[in-house]
Amino acid sequence: LSGKADTVDKIKGYKIPEKWSGWIAYQITGPVMNGKSDVKGGGKGDGLQSKQQEKGNTLILQSLATGKTDTIPQVTEYLFAEESPAVFFISSGNESSVRMRDMDNESYKVIYQSGGSIKQLCAGVKADRVAFISDTDTTDVLSNRWSLYYWDRSHGLQMAASAGSTGVPEGWIVNENARLSFGKKSGRLFFGTSPAHRQKDTMLLKEERADVDIWTWNEGKLHSAQVIDMAQDKNRTYTAVFHPGNKTVVQLADLSMPVVELQDKGDGDYALGLSDLPYQVQQMWEGDPERYDISIIDICTGERKLLKRNYRARPRFSPGGKYLYWYNRPDSSWYTYSLKERAEQRLTYPYNPVCFDEDNDVPNMAEPYRPAGWLKDDRAFLISDRYDIWSCNPDGKSDPVNLTVNGRKSGIRYRLLRPDREIEYIDASEKQLLMGFDERSKGSGYYYADFRKSGTPAMLIAGDYKLGDPIMAKDSQRVIFTKESFRQFPDVIVSDLSFTVEKQLTEANPQQGDYLWGSAELLQWTTLNGEMTEGVLYKPDGFDPGKKYPMIVNFYEMNSSDLFSHRIPEAHRSTIDYHYYTSNGYLVFNPDIHYRIGYPGESAYECVLSGVMMLIEKGFVDEAHIGAQGHSWGGYQTAYLATRTDIFAAIESGAPVVNMFSAYGGIRWESGSNRSMQYEHQQSRIGASIWEDSRLYFENSPLFFVDKINTPVLIMANDHDGAVPWWQGIEFFVAMRRLGKPAWMLNYCGEPHWPVKIPNKVDFQKRMSQFFGHYLKNEPMPEWMMDGIPAVDKEYKTGF
């Protein structure tokens, strides 16, 4: 208020109240001497102060009006009440305690004291209740003695639950890892339980124990995934609820139904129970969509009603809690379930409207387009097709209504913008801000729509650029947003909601003007399969169509929609830097790939080769100096292209799969999951197992056709890759070496799927530029390519 700036040293974190003001709380690390904190400019400390030097995190409560502070030593947790002027905190001095400070009368109240540990502090929105867990046993590392405590102004403190208390399953405990939460209106207290922690047998010495993992054929989760998830599984908790009114505990989740979601944030009468446990074995090869047993749980009694068994959809509660809703992939339709009527309704059919991804090209059931959300009080559910937003009656009593009308006709994809993320519903009485993406031009715009009726959205601004999601001011009609293109940096712009007057607030990249930047152009052509496709050609500044330019083809799935994306020059981990190459006289071509199930390699060949030939015919591409570069899925495709054409003078293939037989049975070590789902149902797009159609695995594996390669190849395969087994790169390199074909392999030791350390990313970019510079611009071959770097010289030679 005074405009004076205070500086706080050694700050650990801070909080401010959500719905009331006047105070700030923050913690500082280190000691506090004689009740004085490291606050410069603040008032004299008072309240619960230490007269001796204290260690630990000190909590400072500071009035923003007066600057007056309270200094509270050794605070482990603290929080403001959401709607009332109070702060709760846990102090861990000689005796741990839970206390409350009333900010209006500046008084403190001791709620609980203990000689043990206290954690998981949770408060009601009006500061009328608080909960936490406490353990008086300080000797056990994995304690089974945590107790749940509940306090409110009317009834004081009570122990709500502990191991062996009524409502907690036999042999189970209150688990210390679960966060506590209150129902906002009901005051119900939600917490977590689990089977009691198992104690390790200390009778055997470590060297007397066998160190063995046992993989069992019919256990639900693959053992490698169990190892990855072990820490999470050890801390797994199961939702339970304490009802303060009748002082009862109800267990909602258990070992057979581990996932529970709450209706209306815990204030509803029901919870949703989900279990995929019976279907985990087949998820190894099916992947998404998962299968669930789905139950409705009475939150007061714990009684369950089975809603669906072995169902390939995941329901969720509507914001108002009146309905469950889900998208059923097998029939491409949206459904609701009325909690009041106990009735299921089908809202859509596959072509009324088309809610499934029309561009789906993997051998799996299509994903839905993301729904826009729910109207206030659950009056309507707004879904999306490829272009438009539709309103559905959640009771299924009428057909869906197209609210935006012209999306499909004009080729504009409308998406609802939600500037205020805290509001979970859509207020139809207010104008709605939409983002519109023009499929033809790849530009974007902002639009206004009135969701009380159907109508063409009103355009505010639109053009050949990419707009960012806007951020709206809470108390004014002002908005900040970004606008970008390949040449235009996304500086921050402020405007009112008409977007008629824009003011640029930042100039974050003025140095761009000192560099040759390049330009981007959208292209269309017919593939070898007779389909239309698109791609983007990036050209150097001063491009002359009468000259010949070397070109690098870089691609991954479909990227033409990024025509107006602004790329920042950097040492990328896995791809070429477009500006480096355009500023050095290269063309960069990024074609979209359309896939045919069972023929992913040939699909890439049809799209890429046709695009390259189209550009050669324009006369400005040096057809003797064309390179290709890709990583992971892109690395596989560049390896495949090397076996099918000699049009490329050089290829960089990063983290490629070259042998689909050995890769099919492998493990993605970062997650522990088996790779077979990727081939049968996901990105690799084979659509069958190796026993159902081994021919496709053979024909799509570059390894078996390395003898056809006449192109020098640079391979990157890192020994800690958790996505693609690095021995795939080794198989590729060894085959090239065995057949006497030029090849180099980069292994950034200890790195994952791509280099993450800056020196390694810089090294990769330098070596790749030298590789392409030699083969595409006739530059001298660098020493590391000519002579290699023997292992004994690794510490002394870099090759630059």
Side-chain angles (χ1 to χ4, degrees), residues 638-655:
T638 55
Y640 181 91
L641 290 174
T643 71
R644 290 286 283 114
T645 178
D646 294 337
I647 201 170
F648 298 109
I651 283 176
E652 193 278 332
S653 175

Side-chain angles (χ1 to χ4, degrees), residues 228-498:
I228 297 295
D229 297 341
M230 186 162 52
Q232 172 184 309
D233 289 342
K234 281 184 176 179
N235 294 330
R236 186 176 300 279
T237 64
Y238 301 84
T239 304
V241 58
F242 172 68
H243 295 277
N246 56 18
K247 301 181 180 180
T248 59
V249 168
V250 177
Q251 187 68 44
L252 301 176
D254 60 22
L255 297 177
S256 65
M257 185 71 72
V259 178
V260 165
E261 295 183 1
L262 303 176
Q263 179 191 26
D264 196 16
K265 297 183 178 180
D267 286 328
D269 296 330
Y270 302 101
L272 175 67
L274 301 168
S275 176
D276 66 351
L277 299 178
Y279 317 109
Q280 286 186 339
V281 172
Q282 63 210 72
Q283 284 179 18
M284 184 181 79
W285 61 87
E286 285 184 345
D288 292 333
E290 298 175 335
R291 300 172 183 266
Y292 291 102
D293 290 342
I294 303 165
S295 296
I296 305 295
I297 306 171
D298 187 306
I299 211 162
C300 294
T301 65
E303 180 184 357
R304 296 177 182 175
K305 177 193 176 189
L306 182 65
L307 185 64
K308 300 283 185 182
R309 187 183 298 280
N310 193 13
Y311 201 59
R312 305 203 76 175
R314 194 184 198 283
R316 288 174 171 79
F317 283 109
S318 58
K322 297 178 182 178
Y323 301 92
L324 292 172
Y325 69 99
W326 65 87
Y327 181 80
N328 187 37
R329 293 196 202 180
D331 64 14
S332 304
S333 301
W334 284 101
Y335 289 79
T336 58
Y337 179 87
S338 169
L339 277 301
K340 180 180 180 181
E341 304 295 334
R342 297 293 185 99
E344 177 182 310
Q345 295 292 340
R346 184 173 184 173
L347 305 186
T348 68
Y349 290 84
Y351 295 96
N352 183 31
V354 180
C355 298
F356 59 86
D357 181 3
E358 296 178 29
D359 292 328
N360 180 58
D361 61 0
V362 298
N364 207 350
M365 290 175 279
E367 296 269 2
Y369 293 103
R370 187 174 180 177
W374 285 78
L375 294 191
K376 189 175 182 180
D377 298 324
D378 293 349
R379 292 197 305 273
F381 178 42
L382 306 189
I383 61 173
S384 299
D385 67 9
R386 179 171 177 167
Y387 300 97
D388 290 298
I389 298 173
W390 297 69
S391 177
C392 295
N393 184 317
D395 292 322
K397 295 179 179 179
S398 57
D399 290 337
V401 176
N402 189 341
L403 295 176
T404 50
V405 180
N406 74 321
R408 186 171 292 272
K409 181 179 179 180
S410 60
I412 296 177
R413 297 184 180 184
Y414 291 116
R415 176 172 62 87
L416 179 66
L417 294 170
R418 304 287 289 273
D420 190 344
R421 298 290 181 179
E422 295 180 3
I423 300 177
E424 297 181 322
Y425 57 82
I426 302 164
D427 189 345
S429 66
E430 299 177 353
K431 285 185 177 180
Q432 302 301 316
L433 187 62
L434 309 181
M435 176 79 79
F437 175 77
D438 190 322
E439 282 192 337
R440 298 160 188 167
S441 70
K442 313 303 179 185
S444 58
Y446 294 141
Y447 298 78
Y448 260 145
D450 184 347
F451 283 171
R452 292 172 297 183
K453 58 184 179 180
S454 296
T456 300
M459 186 187 74
L460 300 170
I461 56 170
D464 289 342
Y465 40 71
K466 179 180 179 180
L467 293 169
D469 286 356
I471 300 175
M472 193 176 298
K474 282 185 176 294
D475 300 319
S476 73
Q477 297 293 297
R478 306 284 283 176
V479 64
I480 59 173
F481 63 100
T482 59
K483 183 189 294 184
E484 66 183 88
S485 68
F486 184 70
R487 295 190 70 91
Q488 181 179 349
F489 185 86
D491 278 301
V492 177
I493 301 168
V494 64
S495 176
D496 61 16
L497 291 176
S498 70

Side-chain angles (χ1 to χ4, degrees), residues 113-140:
Q113 284 184 303
S114 168
S117 301
I118 308 172
K119 62 194 304 186
Q120 301 294 9
L121 189 64
C122 173
V125 295
K126 297 186 181 300
D128 54 348
R129 56 176 63 90
V130 69
F132 51 88
I133 61 172
S134 177
D135 178 16
T136 56
D137 185 351
T138 59
T139 62
D140 222 340

Side-chain angles (χ1 to χ4, degrees), residues 55 83 114 200 353 385:
K55 295 181 179 180
E83 297 178 1
S114 168
K200 183 182 292 186
D385 67 9

